[in-house]
Amino acid sequence: MDIKKKINRKISVAPMMDCTDRHDRYFLRLISKNVMLYTEMVVTKAVLRGDKQKLLKFNELEKPLALQVGGSDKKELAEVAKIAEDFGYDEININLGCPSKKVQKNSFGACLMKEPDLVSECLSEMKKSCNIPVTAKTRIGFDHTEEFDYLNMFVNKMKQTGCKTIILHARKAILKGLTPKQNLNIPKLNYGMVYEIKKFNPDLEIIINGGITTTDQIKNHLNYCDGVMIGRAIYQNPYFLKDIENTIFNNLNVPSREDIVKQILEYLEKELKTGTRVNQVMRHTVGLYYGQPGSKEWKKYLSDNMMARDSDFQKAKHIMDIAQNNEKVNQLTA
Ligand SMILES: Cc1cc2nc3c(=O)[nH]c(=O)nc-3n(C[C@H](O)[C@H](O)[C@H](O)COP(=O)(O)O)c2cc1C
């Protein structure tokens, strides 16, 4: 499985633990052909010691797809980069932004911002071991360090390894005292710092991330950066990708929500035969009708039925009824 897909990082969906698994990515790809997708963070040791197929397999339709990895052992990271390439991933990305306690205890994620030399060695080894792009996702600072000079030095260390793409979450990480969730909201967004990094490093592809929720905001950021990465706004409202396709990629051929439901149910039917459970796929679709008439009914139907363990396709038929009805109501209210 080595179909190379052209990477376009103008818009990407952020890596999100417990969210952007292979089922979610398949679902998102039904709506958007043009965005870049990332896996959840996978820890190097898990890949090297665990069930690689289970952890890394994906559907060709998800491509272009990047594997995000967490680790700080350069040998392990290099091995995983090679494995990612062999699996057919289009990019390997190192997580330098996660502030969780568990991740810090294992000395990776955001705390690596304190160790630019180690990061540089890790990226160099990864680069040597594979032929796919090696990229990094980090924050603009940590704890009391939120200075352009520090970030620019860090970015330049990464640049010297041949890393050409850096994703910057435009808020610092507080390594002690905040939960990971607070760390996504409390530190103030500072987009200006990301724009400055791009200005000083025009040869780098700089992707901006954090708090972006509308196509107007996306368009504005694209005046200063090469790409925009969006996390929560897409997970909460996956059909936001339709606006993105229409407005940013000029693609007016996005399937209706009803078509998406049809296609995800076909996927579900196939997946159930291989042991996947209904809720593993359908939980990602809870937000499909976000802000629409019928959203409540959709959510209620899913929460009442998606724990079904078997392939009860009668239920899927009911789901189609809701989707068709919602489509009619939407057309009437459009
Ligand atoms: C539930 C959740 C899980 C996340 N998991 C990861 C992860 O595995 N790797 C990572 O680099 N960032 C992770 N993040 C951070 C996002 O990638 C992104 O940087 C952050 O949510 C800010 O973007 P947003 O405001 O568009 O959501 C996670 C965020 C959320 C909400």
Side-chain angles (χ1 to χ4, degrees), residues 23-75:
H23 305 306
D24 184 47
R25 298 186 310 255
Y26 188 96
F27 167 61
L28 298 177
R29 187 57 87 210
L30 295 175
I31 310 172
S32 169
K33 300 289 170 234
N34 289 301
V35 295
M36 178 75 192
L37 296 176
Y38 285 76
T39 67
E40 309 161 90
M41 178 182 72
V42 183
V43 178
T44 49
K45 283 191 178 29
V47 175
L48 297 174
R49 294 179 192 159
D51 181 343
K52 292 183 188 48
Q53 268 299 324
K54 196 170 163 208
L55 278 169
L56 301 181
K57 76 171 173 190
F58 60 85
N59 191 301
E60 283 294 318
L61 190 127
E62 295 168 39
K63 282 162 89 57
L65 175 64
L67 176 71
Q68 191 191 54
V69 69
S72 57
D73 180 311
K74 58 187 176 187
K75 248 186 83 196

Side-chain angles (χ1 to χ4, degrees), residues 171-224:
R171 45 165 75 85
K172 68 178 178 179
I174 307 283
L175 297 172
K176 270 203 189 98
L178 291 189
T179 63
K181 194 167 175 203
Q182 289 172 322
N183 253 309
L184 292 173
N185 297 307
I186 293 179
K188 278 211 176 65
L189 285 162
N190 183 348
Y191 295 132
M193 182 93 101
V194 180
Y195 299 163
E196 280 294 288
I197 291 290
K198 174 65 197 178
K199 210 161 119 193
F200 274 73
N201 301 277
D203 49 337
L204 275 179
E205 183 180 37
I206 297 291
I207 312 293
I208 192 165
N209 166 244
I212 300 160
T213 58
T214 68
T215 50
D216 281 347
Q217 291 169 359
I218 293 173
K219 280 193 219 154
N220 185 44
H221 289 303
L222 288 175
N223 292 325
Y224 306 98

Side-chain angles (χ1 to χ4, degrees), residues 14-17 41 68 95 137 169 184 209-211 230-232:
M16 286 178 283
M17 288 290 252
M41 178 182 72
Q68 191 191 54
N95 181 327
K137 177 169 181 281
H169 182 177
L184 292 173
N209 166 244
I230 302 164
R232 289 164 290 181

Side-chain angles (χ1 to χ4, degrees), residues 241-288:
L241 284 172
K242 180 197 184 224
D243 295 343
I244 291 176
E245 284 290 321
N246 291 170
T247 317
I248 309 296
F249 295 107
N250 220 358
N251 168 22
L252 302 178
N253 277 327
V254 178
S256 66
R257 288 181 176 87
E258 187 185 339
D259 284 338
I260 303 289
V261 175
K262 250 186 228 152
Q263 292 183 60
I264 200 70
L265 290 177
E266 282 165 18
Y267 171 79
L268 175 67
E269 197 180 2
K270 283 193 203 127
E271 279 295 320
L272 289 172
K273 290 189 183 124
T274 68
T276 301
R277 295 190 309 273
V278 177
N279 78 311
Q280 285 178 297
V281 174
M282 296 311 287
R283 71 189 183 95
H284 300 300
T285 71
V286 166
L288 183 60

Side-chain angles (χ1 to χ4, degrees), residues 136-150:
K137 177 169 181 281
T138 189
R139 301 238 184 176
I140 54 168
F142 58 93
D143 294 336
H144 297 297
T145 306
E146 188 180 333
E147 286 147 26
F148 174 80
D149 288 347
Y150 188 88

